[in-house]
Amino acid sequence: MPEKKTYYITTPIYYPSGNMHIGHTYTTVAADTMARFKKMQGYDTYFLTGTDEHGQKIERKAEEKGVTPKAYVDEIVANAKDLWKLMEVEYNDFIRTTDERHEKVVQKIFRQFYEQGDIYKGSYEGLYCTPCEAFWTPTQVVEKDGVKCCPDCGRPVEPMQEESYFFRMSKYQDWLLDYLQTHPDFIQPASRANEMINNFLKPGLQDLCVSRTSFKWGVPVDFDPKHVVYVWIDALSNYISALGYDTPDDHLFRKYWPADVHLVGKEIVRFHTIYWPIMLHALGLPLPKQVFAHGWLLFGNDKMSKSKGNVIYADDMVELFGVDATRYFVLHEMPFENDGVITWDLVIERFNSDLANILGNLVNRTVSMSNKYFGGVVTSTGVTGEVDADLKAVVTETRDRIAGKMAKLRVADAISEVFALFRRCNKYIDETT
């Protein structure tokens, strides 16, 4: 029997500074849906999710609570796993950057980059945003009431100088530009690729700060222990460390790498389409086939934030509407290229119109008629007319259209096709009364 084709899909690894909200739930449920669909098509699928647990922000949050950073993240990770269980998410592996299996791979990768001259020691001076874990130049920050603030999250930045290791991103800039231009499907949707090329690659890549000495909560650099590996080499390596890359037991890596798709939010597309490809290329590894960057799930017109108090959590929705309806809602409301919108009113409206009226009505009519006329047992009577042939044609066309949409990760469009079929079935019942 020939070996099944493989399909490897990942979510980003989430930063557990607080509990996962409906935006995290969207990404995870979307990846789970793609994995299930591919499995249904006969693929040998592997679905990875997890948490990115190091950094200054978590160190500080743990300090405020009077616990160790590990105890702090352990609690949030347990909540995340409970949430994915509640949402019926069937992942194959959950990677944590605090796992020993991950830390060892990160140390090896860091050392290899250093030994082959991709990493050098220098010192960093810049304006630092702790919540975003990002350095900014004076021209990048925005002023609010005379206070210099982060251009991403709007919170104050602080000046910082420290000894760091840097990755020579500039060395690989021309290679990456050429790669992106010759592989138009690598970044999807295409608008995000143009953004990366025009905003980051063409103006010239800065070398990347990849270690820190001002905090301790991270993977130690094994040949220079006062440094910890900083964010991106640690976080992005999860996609290969989870598969056992560069370990004696690397059968999963050999089987599933390169990934078919990294599903990410648009705010981290730069790290996955610039830093990660360069790191993989420097390791001599093939690149993932695609990075798909979806939009945000907005609350009304606003980005959700705990400080604004406009965060929706999936477990609250499940309590009110059930798991299937919650999964349906988040998938249906996220368009291919733009941001999705969620409000409680919209959830209720969707629940009533789609799930109760269209689907509920169809199920109710079908079940009650089969009970009334056939004692609840449906058998083929062999009677068919034109109207039956037409319905069959609609069903098979819908199946093919859904496969086409799912191949392009247009999950919301695939769902619309399913509901168009439900409407057609309701019409069929009217036609054959």
Side-chain angles (χ1 to χ4, degrees), residues 21 64 81 111 114 128 142 154 166 169 171 184 186 213 217 263 291 294 301-302 308 312 320 373 381 391 396-398:
H21 58 61
E64 282 164 23
K81 286 184 171 179
R111 180 185 282 272
Y114 182 69
Y128 186 67
V142 290
F166 291 85
M169 288 287 156
K171 171 178 163 184
F186 177 65
T213 53
W217 180 238
L263 191 60
V291 176
H294 63 73
N301 298 315
D302 265 357
K308 285 183 186 164
I312 288 182
L320 291 168
Y373 303 121
T381 58
L391 181 66
T396 48
E397 283 162 21
T398 300

Side-chain angles (χ1 to χ4, degrees), residues 131-147:
C132 293
E133 305 218 331
F135 279 104
W136 301 102
T137 62
T139 54
Q140 289 171 315
V141 296
V142 290
E143 286 224 3
K144 282 188 196 168
D145 306 327
V147 178

Side-chain angles (χ1 to χ4, degrees), residues 4 31 34 59 65 102 145 195 240 281 291 345 376 382 386 421:
K4 281 184 177 182
M34 281 306 302
E59 192 175 74
K65 279 194 116 182
H102 173 76
D145 306 327
E195 212 178 287
I240 55 177
H281 185 64
V291 176
D345 289 346
E386 240 174 78
L421 176 61

Side-chain angles (χ1 to χ4, degrees), residues 282-403:
L283 291 169
L285 295 176
L287 270 50
K289 293 171 197 168
Q290 191 172 82
V291 176
F292 185 92
H294 63 73
W296 289 330
L297 205 47
L298 303 175
F299 183 82
N301 298 315
D302 265 357
K303 191 178 174 199
M304 284 186 217
S305 84
K306 293 192 184 83
S307 56
K308 285 183 186 164
N310 64 354
V311 178
I312 288 182
Y313 293 98
D315 39 4
D316 294 335
M317 277 179 72
V318 170
E319 206 170 300
L320 291 168
F321 304 105
V323 175
D324 288 339
T326 301
R327 284 177 66 110
Y328 169 75
F329 187 84
V330 294
L331 293 173
H332 185 273
E333 295 310 311
M334 182 63 84
F336 176 66
E337 259 182 273
N338 305 315
D339 293 332
V341 175
I342 185 169
T343 63
W344 287 109
D345 289 346
L346 197 58
V347 176
I348 292 163
E349 185 189 317
R350 184 72 61 217
F351 189 83
N352 289 335
S353 69
D354 295 6
L355 300 177
N357 292 351
I358 299 169
L359 174 58
N361 192 26
L362 178 63
V363 171
N364 186 41
R365 292 169 89 184
T366 310
V367 171
S368 58
M369 283 196 298
S370 60
N371 284 337
K372 186 174 174 183
Y373 303 121
F374 304 103
V377 180
V378 180
T379 52
S380 173
T381 58
V383 178
T384 59
E386 240 174 78
V387 67
D388 303 289
D390 181 65
L391 181 66
K392 278 183 187 168
V394 171
V395 171
T396 48
E397 283 162 21
T398 300
R399 179 195 61 196
D400 297 342
R401 279 205 296 271
I402 287 170

Side-chain angles (χ1 to χ4, degrees), residues 9-14 23 26-27 30-31 187-189 192 232 236 239 261-273 276 290-296 334 409:
I9 186 168
T10 67
T11 70
I13 50 171
Y14 304 115
Y26 166 74
T27 316
I187 305 176
Q188 284 296 315
R192 314 248 193 257
W232 296 110
L236 292 162
Y239 301 125
V261 61
H262 290 322
L263 191 60
V264 301
K266 64 181 180 180
E267 74 283 1
I268 51 173
V269 68
R270 171 165 53 117
F271 311 111
H272 283 81
T273 58
W276 182 223
Q290 191 172 82
V291 176
F292 185 92
H294 63 73
W296 289 330
M334 182 63 84
L409 277 91

Side-chain angles (χ1 to χ4, degrees), residues 21-79:
H21 58 61
I22 199 75
H24 303 111
T25 304
Y26 166 74
T27 316
T28 311
V29 168
D32 180 57
T33 303
M34 281 306 302
R36 286 167 182 246
F37 187 76
K38 286 292 179 183
K39 204 176 283 180
M40 201 168 74
Q41 288 184 314
Y43 283 77
D44 174 348
T45 63
Y46 202 82
F47 166 28
L48 176 72
T49 190
T51 38
D52 167 17
E53 300 177 18
H54 292 125
Q56 193 168 18
K57 186 176 173 181
I58 283 183
E59 192 175 74
R60 285 185 181 177
K61 287 222 169 201
E63 246 171 59
E64 282 164 23
K65 279 194 116 182
V67 294
T68 64
K70 184 71 166 67
Y72 180 81
V73 290
D74 279 350
E75 185 183 340
I76 292 171
V77 169
N79 292 342

